[in-house]
Amino acid sequence: MSAGSAPSTPWLLRWQGTLGSASEGPLGSRLSLVAGIVLCLLMAAMPFVTRAGLSLLILSSGLLWLMWSLVLPAGRIGRISGWLLLMLGIAVLATGFSPVTPAAFKGLLKLISYLGVYALMRQLLAQAPRWWDRLVAALLGGELLSSVLAIRQLYGDTSELARWADPNSVADGTIRVYGPLENPNLLAGYLIPILPIALIALLRWRSWPQRLFAASALMLGSSALFLSYSRGGWLGMLGALGATVLLLVLRQTRHWPPLWRRLFPLLLIAAAVCVLVVAITQIEPLRIRVMSLAAGRGDSSNNFRINVWLAAIEMIQERPWLGIGPGNSAFNLIYPLYQQPKFNALSAYSVPLELLVEGGIPNLLAALGLLFASLRAGLSQLKGESIWALPALAAIAAIAGLCVQGATDTIFFRPEVQLTGWFCLATLSASQNASSSDG
């Protein structure tokens, strides 16, 4: 690193490249290959491996990023990475002031480990963009097998599936598949961000075997998500795939006359709403599940969530500025002090509420800043012809789906869902970095 470049390097990154630059040498190329292989294993295997195996792959990713950074010259901190660092700083403060510091420290370590995965993904995609398609292929491979296993459950012993039928719900008797993830809502959360990525891969890939692979993942994944009968999953799928189609339409019509450029997306949305209304009124299983949304406390699942939300709001009112600290361990120790009888919970069942509980108002504001920066990075690709254009659109569509489901559930914090979210953020950060370099 030259003396002239040192002042422009952020002080947080001045440790990078201390072992000398090897990004163009044999060590750099081997590190990118090893990083790609580890991340492909992580993307493909996350629905199937044990928690210990998943933790090992996540830890390996962080260590690989650390090794790579020691031989790679420091770059710049992008907007997305900057917001993530701010959230990490808030989590450190929340841990220090937590009423259950040891438990919160475990949550902090989990957050740091996930940030290591994000950092390695971002580094790999920035250095070798061709790995995006390989990581997507691995992700779709795991999703395809998970979807097949889920759909196959309909033709086997349904006694296990029946345990997810709630006799106190208006949807009593509904058979819900869960695949290898043992939870229909988790299966739905896992599939939501992958479906828009599969759709973009179908459009992006050129050979027919690749397109057939992407189309199979899209169709079987959509079928498995529907058969999970997860209401939040259905809404998330509508949000993710709807956002994908809308973004593709905006991109394709960017050269149209101004009137049609504005009118056509609105007509498309109106047509989609009409189709959805007809489907809800004519398809009985769909109608029953949608009716349960409007049942209020009359539906046991709704009633449970409402009680948990009220308890979470009390927790936030007690500690509004730094919360109780990150992680489910801290939540499990504090929540019983606020819970209503017979309404035990492992989380706040709402991502915004969970962010407020864990890190207070600053944590939620930082998360909103991260969301805004991510959307800005993705939407900036609408009019360009960069190689990152379609991947960036897939990423923001996936994030849109996760946001819709996250309004009433915290499945996002499970690694099988969260890791795909980190992949989307790494994609957007790499695309933003490439745009800045081109500029």
Side-chain angles (χ1 to χ4, degrees):
M1 185 183 299
S2 64
S5 64
S8 62
T9 302
W11 65 270
L12 279 174
L13 303 182
R14 290 184 183 177
W15 60 274
Q16 292 189 9
T18 53
L19 297 184
S21 175
S23 59
E24 301 298 331
L27 180 58
S29 61
R30 287 177 186 144
L31 281 173
S32 71
L33 177 62
V34 173
I37 292 172
V38 169
L39 289 174
C40 282
L41 284 173
L42 182 61
M43 292 289 97
M46 59 185 176
F48 309 103
V49 296
T50 62
R51 279 289 180 267
L54 203 56
S55 299
L56 182 60
L57 287 171
I58 291 172
L59 179 62
S60 300
S61 299
L63 292 175
L64 273 172
W65 172 75
L66 188 62
M67 291 174 55
W68 201 354
S69 296
L70 287 171
V71 299
L72 195 69
R76 56 185 293 274
I77 299 176
R79 292 188 186 93
I80 292 174
S81 298
W83 283 108
L84 288 173
L85 286 173
L86 177 59
M87 292 187 71
L88 176 61
I90 293 170
V92 171
L93 284 175
T95 300
F97 288 95
S98 171
V100 285
T101 300
F105 186 69
K106 293 180 183 178
L108 179 63
L109 290 180
K110 286 182 182 179
L111 175 60
I112 292 172
S113 67
Y114 285 125
L115 286 174
V117 176
Y118 159 80
L120 184 65
M121 288 176 171
R122 182 185 182 277
Q123 191 83 281
L124 178 65
L125 295 177
Q127 294 294 312
R130 64 183 179 276
W131 275 100
W132 188 86
D133 294 291
R134 298 171 184 175
L135 292 176
V136 168
L139 184 63
L140 296 188
E143 181 259 13
L144 190 59
L145 182 56
S146 299
S147 301
V148 170
L149 291 174
I151 295 172
R152 188 177 179 275
Q153 288 177 323
L154 295 175
Y155 302 96
D157 182 11
T158 59
S159 59
E160 284 296 314
L161 302 181
R163 64 193 176 98
W164 290 103
D166 187 352
N168 299 315
S169 170
V170 297
D172 178 27
T174 300
I175 298 298
R176 307 174 64 188
V177 302
Y178 48 77
L181 294 170
E182 300 298 323
N183 184 321
N185 293 327
L186 179 55
L187 175 66
Y190 165 71
L191 292 171
I192 285 171
I194 300 179
L195 295 180
I197 295 174
L199 178 55
I200 291 299
L202 176 62
L203 300 175
R204 176 181 167 90
W205 291 344
R206 293 290 174 239
S207 71
W208 283 108
Q210 289 176 321
R211 288 185 167 183
L212 180 61
F213 174 58
S216 300
L218 177 61
M219 290 187 293
L220 291 177
S222 301
S223 300
L225 197 156
F226 180 80
L227 293 170
S228 72
Y229 285 93
S230 168
R231 297 170 298 178
W234 285 357
L235 293 173
M237 179 170 64
L238 287 175
L241 293 180
T244 309
V245 173
L246 181 60
L247 290 169
L248 289 172
V249 167
L250 291 174
R251 179 172 169 77
Q252 288 299 115
T253 60
R254 65 190 187 277
H255 300 305
W256 286 18
L259 176 62
W260 282 105
R261 193 168 63 238
R262 295 182 179 91
L263 190 58
F264 185 73
L266 295 176
L267 293 174
L268 188 66
I269 293 172
V273 170
C274 291
V275 171
L276 185 60
V277 170
V278 171
I280 291 172
T281 56
Q282 299 300 317
I283 302 175
E284 184 176 2
L286 184 60
R287 184 171 65 253
I288 291 173
R289 290 300 284 175
V290 171
M291 283 173 55
S292 67
L293 286 171
R297 286 187 177 271
D299 182 85
S300 59
S301 179
N302 296 349
N303 189 47
F304 172 79
R305 278 172 165 75
I306 291 170
N307 284 296
V308 174
W309 293 339
L310 292 175
I313 290 171
E314 287 187 38
M315 295 168 68
I316 295 164
Q317 290 172 338
E318 289 288 331
R319 303 180 66 87
W321 296 110
L322 283 176
I324 64 171
N328 61 309
S329 296
F331 186 92
N332 291 339
L333 291 175
I334 300 297
Y335 175 77
L337 302 176
Y338 299 87
Q339 77 176 67
Q340 298 185 29
K342 299 181 181 180
F343 289 96
N344 188 30
L346 301 177
S347 68
Y349 282 91
S350 170
V351 170
L353 286 179
E354 187 75 23
L355 292 170
L356 285 166
V357 166
E358 292 186 1
I361 295 172
N363 197 36
L364 179 61
L365 292 177
L368 291 174
L370 173 63
L371 177 61
F372 178 77
S374 302
L375 293 176
R376 185 178 178 184
L379 293 175
S380 68
Q381 298 290 337
L382 268 178
K383 298 181 179 180
E385 299 297 337
S386 163
I387 60 171
W388 288 108
L390 289 179
L393 298 187
I396 59 174
I399 290 172
L402 289 172
C403 287
V404 171
Q405 191 200 35
T408 57
D409 209 334
T410 46
I411 288 295
F412 170 77
F413 292 106
R414 298 287 289 272
E416 296 86 355
V417 184
Q418 190 174 166
L419 286 169
T420 307
W422 290 116
F423 174 59
C424 293
L425 287 179
T427 298
L428 292 169
S429 184
S431 72
Q432 191 177 48
N433 184 60
S435 299
S436 301
S437 301
D438 292 342

